[in-house]
Amino acid sequence: MGDYDEEIAFLGNWGRFQQMIFLLLCATAVPNGFTALSSVFLGDSPAHHCLIPEGLNITEEWRKASIPTQEVNGETENSRCRRYRLDLISNFSALGLSPSKDVNLSQVPLEGCSDGWTYSKEIYQSTIVTEFDLVCDNEWKKPLSTSIYFLGVLSGSFFSGQFSDRFGRKPTLFITLVIQTVFGFVQAFSPSWEAFSVFFFLVGMGHISNFVAAFVMGTEILTGPPRMIFASLGINGFFALGYMLLPLFAYFFRNWRTLLIAMTVPNIVYIAFWWFIPESPRWLLSQGRVEEAEAILRGAAKKNRVIAPEVIFPQTETSNIRHNTLILTLVWFSLMIGYFGLSLNTSNLHGSPHLNCFISAATEIPASIACWLALKYLRRRLSLSLSMLLGGGVLFFIQLVPPDLSPLAISLEMIGKFFMTSAHGLIYVYTGELYPTGIRNTAMGICAMASRVGSAISPYFVHLGTYNTDLLYILLGSLTTISAISVLFLPESFGLPLPETMDQMPKRERIKWPCLSSEQKVKDE
């Protein structure tokens, strides 16, 4: 197989066939935007304090005073995990004593919330935290739920890449989409936290596998500028659309079970896509299935109203060459910690969690546009490295913002999220350009697997932020900066054709300045 792009040039870049593939594959990313950060609302922890039984015979004055107060971030709030001993409170009330006046509350012993908790209904009707009491001694289960989801993503990345390269892109795309949808729906009926976590793991297995399969199919089927738009603004823009719809759905569906149902039921429409999305001709060629690949392209030629040549793919020989997986796995690992760390932290910011989540999601649209422009005009190494440096660097300044300027701190975090998202889109394209067709999905799966180790750790970074906010930003900024430097040791792929064989993989060379150049200049070099 020679230069694939040249051999299918008769199709053109943007006919009816390419338009259909572009829109359908992008549409499959919407459920990923829903699911990826759903734990922001499913697992949010509303204000709560120990339950005081309604049947307890005490005055209203003692009922209000039965919960001690404490200082949290300069504000006074009720203790979440302790109450004054109710037997003593009941005696004080029976004797007609008054809190604070007749009784020094600071000397009254405390006890745990043995009767459960009272949760605020101001924002949510219920979350998994309120239903399964994931607070106080069980608070560790809350970040673990998100980590279990990302461990499922990690497992899916490991198996789906090999499955895709062995059995095809199309079956991988639809099987993982079914897994994500079915178990997401079943998850809404979880009777316990343990069951919820098991189903969340299975949902995670389908999540990234679906996204990567769609991404690889699009980059392999599309050519020229549409490929760059698809890989940057297209699929990432539709992911952002799903992400932006998440807080809207969460606003109207305040119960976590109905929210899950509302998120998964619409996915049934994707079943119809099976009859419109073909297998990747590149993958078929890598498996020696030339006739099937040519049949798909001849069908595409009919849709585009062009005439296909009698012989589309002449046969050539291939050979092998080494690649740069170690550096890429480090970059993916660090980048996903930063991306999901900032995304999951939105519920901990000041103000409405729905508005903060929407703003965080909305930053992905301009970030995707910036990613597309960078892919079109900038060299890969410098654009990716610069995005990560800016994304990580701005986080170091958040700790310098005074507490009374919280809008400024949120703005800096959103700027960091903007550059992290741009880098997130760039790394997908860059990785796909460095590997040949025969192992591209396996390589993407390995890199995605490394990234999911990072995303599985990210909830604990966010949890650390509840104790020391500065520590969260210092860790995220440091990891991202180190990875940004390592990017400079990768080969450059800007302007080069997508490699079909290992011999065609880009070679590492010195960084060339200026970073802004035309595709023709790169080809000449």
Side-chain angles (χ1 to χ4, degrees):
M1 183 171 59
D3 190 329
Y4 178 89
D5 289 357
E6 291 184 4
E7 290 164 352
I8 68 166
F10 66 89
L11 280 178
N13 289 330
W14 194 238
R16 292 178 60 189
F17 173 75
Q18 289 92 340
Q19 293 168 13
M20 178 187 69
I21 295 300
F22 186 100
L23 292 174
L24 294 183
L25 289 178
C26 283
T28 63
V30 174
N32 294 295
F34 265 143
T35 307
L37 282 309
S38 60
S39 58
V40 169
F41 299 106
L42 298 177
D44 199 6
S45 181
H48 56 274
H49 57 78
C50 292
L51 173 68
I52 306 301
E54 291 294 333
L56 186 65
N57 188 20
I58 58 176
T59 64
E60 188 63 26
E61 185 180 22
W62 275 108
R63 184 175 293 276
K64 292 180 179 179
S66 58
I67 305 296
T69 59
Q70 58 187 16
E71 291 286 331
V72 178
N73 296 324
E75 298 181 0
T76 301
E77 64 176 36
N78 289 330
S79 173
R80 297 184 174 188
C81 302
R82 293 289 183 269
R83 68 185 181 187
Y84 294 116
R85 281 180 49 183
L86 292 190
D87 58 337
L88 298 178
I89 295 295
S90 182
N91 289 337
F92 294 149
S93 178
L95 293 173
L97 302 178
S98 177
S100 300
K101 297 180 181 178
D102 302 320
V103 178
N104 185 355
L105 292 176
S106 63
Q107 296 181 355
V108 178
L110 300 175
E111 64 181 3
C113 303
S114 57
D115 296 304
W117 290 263
T118 296
Y119 297 96
S120 170
K121 301 287 186 178
E122 182 179 359
I123 299 178
Y124 305 102
Q125 292 180 5
S126 71
T127 67
I128 63 169
V129 172
T130 65
E131 183 153 341
F132 303 130
D133 289 332
L134 307 184
V135 293
C136 300
D137 291 342
N138 287 324
E139 188 177 7
W140 59 273
K141 293 181 179 179
K142 176 188 170 183
L144 181 59
S145 300
T146 306
S147 291
I148 288 173
Y149 164 76
F150 285 120
L151 288 174
V153 174
L154 168 65
S155 301
S157 301
F158 179 75
F159 293 109
S160 66
Q162 299 180 58
F163 186 92
S164 178
D165 283 336
R166 177 66 180 87
F167 298 103
R169 314 317 196 201
K170 182 177 179 178
T172 303
L173 171 65
F174 284 94
I175 288 174
T176 53
L177 184 59
V178 168
I179 290 174
Q180 181 180 351
T181 301
V182 170
F183 288 107
F185 181 80
V186 174
Q187 188 183 18
F189 302 93
S190 302
S192 64
W193 173 80
E194 290 78 10
F196 175 91
S197 300
V198 170
F199 293 133
F200 217 12
F201 177 88
L202 295 172
V203 170
M205 288 187 67
H207 169 76
I208 193 61
S209 306
N210 167 39
F211 186 87
V212 171
F215 174 85
V216 170
M217 287 187 73
T219 56
E220 290 183 350
I221 294 176
L222 300 172
T223 59
R227 177 196 292 160
M228 291 298 98
I229 298 175
F230 168 83
S232 55
L233 182 59
I235 194 166
N236 290 316
F238 276 74
F239 177 94
L241 175 62
Y243 188 4
M244 293 171 66
L245 289 173
L246 171 62
L248 179 65
F249 273 56
Y251 181 82
F252 289 103
F253 299 97
R254 302 296 182 101
N255 182 295
W256 70 273
R257 295 183 186 272
T258 56
L259 175 60
L260 273 176
I261 294 173
M263 288 167 51
T264 55
V265 169
N267 294 349
I268 297 174
V269 71
Y270 292 106
I271 296 175
F273 286 21
W274 175 269
W275 287 273
F276 297 96
I277 298 178
E279 181 56 88
S280 165
R282 289 181 188 263
W283 177 81
L284 291 171
L285 288 171
S286 71
Q287 303 298 305
R289 296 159 63 177
V290 180
E291 293 183 359
E292 295 177 57
E294 289 195 349
I296 290 173
L297 293 173
R298 294 187 191 282
K302 291 182 179 179
K303 288 184 175 67
N304 288 359
R305 298 179 181 177
V306 297
I307 299 175
E310 292 185 9
V311 178
I312 300 177
F313 299 112
Q315 298 297 313
T316 61
E317 297 182 358
T318 63
S319 59
N320 296 319
I321 196 172
R322 58 182 179 153
H323 52 72
N324 299 278
T325 303
L326 183 61
I327 294 177
L328 285 171
T329 52
L330 171 64
V331 174
W332 281 67
F333 169 80
S334 303
L335 184 58
M336 292 305 147
I337 289 182
Y339 174 82
F340 283 103
L342 293 179
S343 298
L344 293 171
N345 193 49
T346 54
S347 61
N348 295 328
L349 301 177
H350 290 280
S352 166
H354 296 91
L355 179 59
N356 290 337
C357 182
F358 178 81
I359 294 174
S360 178
T363 61
E364 304 214 357
I365 298 297
S368 296
I369 296 175
C371 174
W372 166 58
L373 292 173
L375 288 170
K376 187 174 182 180
Y377 296 110
L378 303 180
R379 295 182 183 274
R380 303 293 188 251
R381 282 188 295 187
L382 291 177
S383 57
L384 176 59
S385 180
L386 185 61
S387 295
M388 296 180 70
L389 279 174
L390 292 173
V394 73
L395 300 182
F396 290 116
F397 294 97
I398 296 179
Q399 58 186 311
L400 304 179
V401 177
D404 57 337
L405 294 179
S406 58
L408 176 59
I410 294 175
S411 299
L412 289 175
E413 181 163 338
M414 292 303 116
I415 293 173
K417 174 69 184 304
F418 169 85
F419 286 110
M420 292 284 192
T421 303
S422 296
H424 182 265
L426 288 168
I427 191 62
Y428 269 93
V429 177
Y430 194 13
T431 303
E433 291 178 343
L434 293 180
Y435 291 93
T437 300
I439 61 170
R440 185 173 294 117
N441 214 116
T442 295
M444 293 288 292
I446 291 173
C447 292
M449 182 176 67
S451 75
R452 298 315 149 186
V453 174
S455 56
I457 296 173
S458 62
Y460 290 95
F461 276 65
V462 177
H463 193 58
L464 283 176
T466 60
Y467 300 100
N468 189 323
T469 305
D470 294 341
L471 183 60
L472 168 65
Y473 299 120
I474 291 173
L475 290 175
L476 294 182
S478 300
L479 282 171
T480 307
T481 301
I482 292 171
S483 297
I485 296 173
S486 70
V487 169
L488 301 177
F489 295 93
L490 291 170
E492 182 55 66
S493 62
F494 177 71
L496 300 178
L498 202 64
E500 303 296 340
T501 68
M502 291 188 180
D503 278 339
Q504 297 173 358
M505 292 175 66
K507 312 295 191 300
R508 189 169 70 86
E509 55 187 16
R510 292 183 180 180
I511 300 173
K512 296 181 179 180
W513 297 86
C515 62
L516 183 63
S517 67
S518 66
E519 293 187 12
Q520 184 60 46
K521 181 178 178 181
V522 175
K523 291 179 180 178
D524 293 341
E525 293 171 349

